[in-house]
Amino acid sequence: MDATREVKISPDVVVDTHQKPEGIAELIKKGHDVNVAELDKSGNVQRRWLHRPHDAVIVLQSKDKPKGFFSSSFDNWKNILCDAFLPVGYPHSVSKDYLAYQTFDSLQAFFSTITSLLANRALLQGLGVGDADSSATLALLITILKDAMSRVATIIFAHRFGLRIEPDAKKYRFLADIFNDAAFFLELYSPYFGLYGKVSALAIGEALRALCGVAGGASKAALSVHFAKHDNLAELNTKEASQETAVGLFGLLVGSLVVKIVQDHRSVVYLMSALVFAHLWMNYLGVSSVCMRTLNRQRATILFQWYLMTGKVLTPEQVALRESIIFWSPVVKNKQLQPIATVEFAANYKQAASHGNTDTVDVMDGPMHTSFITSPRGYRLGKIRMLLWAGCEPRHAIAAWFQAMEDAWGMERDRVHDHKSAVTSEHRHTEDEQLWTSMALHGWNLQTQAFEIAAPIRLRVESVVDKDE
């Protein structure tokens, strides 16, 4: 039998929460004082009010008011700045890693702004500004070529890598700035090339900047979805734009002084190298501070490998510390921690089921997925390709990846392994409900997955009966 739960609204009013609570109007009609609390979507109290029976509403302060004019003015300005640059309800309306990422992101934007001014000066020189022998028509043609290269690169990169960016948002966010900085250096040296070299450098630089735009924009969108907790994605993006604008204005001020002072080419190169290093380092720290709670290929591999070794589930924070931002491949290890097989979701059924003349493929069905396992021979790695069945849920994709890792866990390097003896074992770790419960308790989001980096494929099969039989 449930105990009676009571909530004290005012000294004289107690509400039984098993019953429908009385409204504000009913309580006021009874002549009671009513405490009113305003909560955000996380259940955190934002304001408290005291509603008196005679329509008097009094603000209840939980903290002492700042005393003195200067203290009050500072507090007001602090609130204004927070409202201008941080999402409403901060810090409860965003994930815990939001502030760390935005801090490093703002710093890298500051360094990038100064670098861009130095590169733009070289760009203008490359286009012939200040050179009496240069042609305005040639400069226009180079500009048109740059724009055309940018558009073509955008289309090709979006076509080839559009589906890869969201599962590896941290990686492509970092790569975006590598593309951008490479473009800066091409522009910096463009005035010292011949005509064809200058045109090539500027065109390639603009193409790299286009790749930066696609990779940076798409990865930022994925990260924003991760940060937003209160359905405040649009507002979070606008506040990020405000942050970048403010940092950019400060960067322009400092950069204007730098461009005026630093004129020598060698000094410019040294300064740009230092700025680019600082820019990339801030960006690396920023993406490293992000703690994603959705499982992708790398995070699932780290998580389940540790579980197979220790029987313990890592938290998203612990997995984030072990993540590689750039260099990672889907290679799983066996019990001896030897690289044994590559794991991937197949692009189509033929790719998954096909094998060479000497290889054999074992086909293993799991819950809502099918794995095609090629045994390793000698120094070659085995291959495990998977396809999901129609009607599968995100948990099935996670289970498919875990099961593929468990298949590789029992493989050996020096001889062809009998998969059937391993796969048909009495017990699989992916069948442990305790594993899934522990993952949920540790904060992993099991309602979505980020494994597939190509157009998703789902299987539906049926038996074909020969009419002649």
Side-chain angles (χ1 to χ4, degrees):
M1 182 175 180
D2 294 337
T4 303
R5 297 173 55 194
E6 296 180 342
V7 176
K8 189 173 182 180
I9 294 182
S10 71
D12 301 321
V13 178
V14 175
V15 176
D16 184 355
T17 57
H18 288 294
Q19 301 176 355
K20 182 180 178 181
E22 295 181 272
I24 295 175
E26 288 83 354
L27 295 173
I28 293 175
K29 287 180 180 179
K30 294 180 178 179
H32 299 295
D33 291 344
V34 181
N35 282 343
V36 179
E38 297 181 10
L39 311 178
D40 61 17
K41 291 186 177 182
S42 297
N44 299 288
V45 177
Q46 299 298 306
R47 301 179 188 87
R48 291 186 182 275
W49 309 87
L50 177 63
H51 196 140
R52 306 300 297 272
H54 301 292
D55 293 332
V57 179
I58 302 172
V59 178
L60 298 178
Q61 296 290 341
S62 59
K63 295 182 180 180
D64 293 333
K65 295 182 179 179
K67 298 179 181 179
F69 172 78
F70 293 104
S71 178
S72 179
S73 299
F74 174 78
D75 189 69
N76 290 337
W77 277 107
K78 180 181 176 182
N79 291 336
I80 291 173
L81 291 175
C82 288
D83 291 341
F85 295 107
L86 294 174
V88 173
Y90 174 86
H92 307 296
S93 60
V94 293
S95 58
K96 294 180 180 179
D97 49 3
Y98 174 81
L99 183 60
Y101 173 79
Q102 290 302 135
T103 299
F104 290 120
D105 189 57
S106 298
L107 289 173
Q108 66 88 18
F110 171 74
F111 293 121
S112 180
T113 301
I114 301 175
T115 307
S116 67
L117 291 178
L118 295 171
N120 285 338
R121 180 174 63 184
L123 173 62
L124 293 175
Q125 293 173 351
L127 293 175
V129 175
D131 186 358
D133 296 329
S134 64
S135 168
T137 302
L138 177 61
L140 177 61
L141 292 176
I142 293 177
T143 302
I144 293 174
L145 177 62
K146 287 172 59 207
D147 187 59
M149 286 292 294
S150 173
R151 295 170 188 268
V152 172
T154 297
I155 294 172
I156 294 175
F157 188 78
H159 168 65
R160 295 291 299 173
F161 294 92
L163 290 172
R164 295 173 177 262
I165 296 176
E166 185 173 1
D168 296 311
K170 297 167 66 172
K171 170 183 176 179
Y172 283 95
R173 179 65 191 90
F174 185 67
L175 283 177
D177 282 308
I178 293 180
F179 296 147
N180 195 40
D181 290 339
F184 284 150
F185 275 104
L186 286 174
E187 291 175 351
L188 178 65
Y189 280 97
S190 62
Y192 303 94
F193 297 147
L195 177 61
Y196 294 108
K198 181 186 301 183
V199 172
S200 299
L202 294 178
I204 295 173
E206 198 65 22
L208 288 172
R209 189 161 285 114
L211 301 188
C212 169
V214 176
S219 57
K220 274 191 173 183
L223 292 175
S224 296
V225 172
H226 162 71
F227 292 135
K229 290 176 58 180
H230 288 177
D231 300 324
N232 57 339
L233 180 60
E235 193 239 351
L236 186 142
N237 284 327
T238 58
K239 293 299 174 64
E240 182 178 359
S242 297
Q243 296 166 13
E244 292 181 353
T245 301
V247 172
L249 287 173
F250 184 62
L252 287 174
L253 176 62
V254 176
S256 300
L257 298 175
V258 171
V259 171
K260 184 68 175 178
I261 296 172
V262 182
Q263 300 284 341
D264 179 64
H265 176 69
R266 178 176 295 182
S267 300
V268 170
V269 172
Y270 290 155
L271 179 59
M272 275 196 62
S273 299
L275 289 171
V276 165
F277 176 79
H279 172 225
L280 292 178
W281 182 241
M282 290 299 103
N283 192 279
Y284 182 84
L285 292 177
V287 295
S288 297
S289 68
V290 176
C291 178
M292 305 290 282
R293 299 184 179 275
T294 300
L295 286 169
N296 66 356
R297 299 177 302 159
Q298 183 179 179
R299 288 188 284 275
T301 301
I302 295 172
L303 174 70
F304 198 64
Q305 182 80 30
W306 186 262
Y307 182 78
L308 289 173
M309 293 170 57
T310 66
K312 298 179 180 179
V313 174
L314 295 173
T315 64
E317 291 78 12
Q318 292 171 326
V319 170
L321 294 175
R322 293 167 168 81
E323 273 189 280
S324 173
I325 302 301
I326 296 293
F327 302 106
W328 182 82
S329 58
V331 176
V332 297
K333 301 177 181 179
N334 60 8
K335 293 181 180 179
Q336 291 74 38
L337 299 183
Q338 299 171 315
I340 196 70
T342 59
V343 180
E344 63 182 5
F345 282 91
N348 53 64
Y349 184 80
K350 183 177 180 180
Q351 182 197 64
S354 299
H355 56 87
N357 295 328
T358 59
D359 291 332
T360 59
V361 175
D362 292 324
V363 182
M364 303 298 168
D365 287 328
M368 299 303 292
H369 74 271
T370 298
S371 298
F372 302 83
I373 309 172
T374 303
S375 302
R377 294 176 182 271
Y379 292 101
R380 295 173 55 191
L381 293 176
K383 294 181 179 178
I384 303 178
R385 294 190 175 102
M386 297 162 289
L387 286 171
L388 299 173
W389 285 47
C392 70
E393 298 177 356
R395 173 166 170 167
H396 297 129
I398 300 171
W401 192 270
F402 286 174
Q403 182 172 314
M405 291 185 63
E406 194 164 4
D407 292 335
W409 181 253
M411 292 183 184
E412 297 181 12
R413 288 295 302 264
D414 56 348
R415 65 185 178 86
V416 178
H417 189 70
D418 183 5
H419 294 293
K420 294 181 181 179
S421 62
V423 176
T424 57
S425 60
E426 295 182 359
H427 179 73
R428 277 192 170 277
H429 288 88
T430 52
E431 298 171 357
D432 289 340
E433 196 60 36
Q434 183 180 356
L435 167 64
W436 299 96
T437 302
S438 181
M439 288 170 60
L441 292 175
H442 280 74
W444 290 105
N445 182 1
L446 304 180
Q447 306 305 314
T448 183
Q449 55 93 4
F451 290 94
E452 296 166 291
I453 57 176
I457 300 296
R458 300 292 182 265
L459 295 182
R460 183 171 61 242
V461 299
E462 59 184 12
S463 178
V464 179
V465 179
D466 192 341
K467 295 182 180 180
D468 295 334
E469 292 183 357

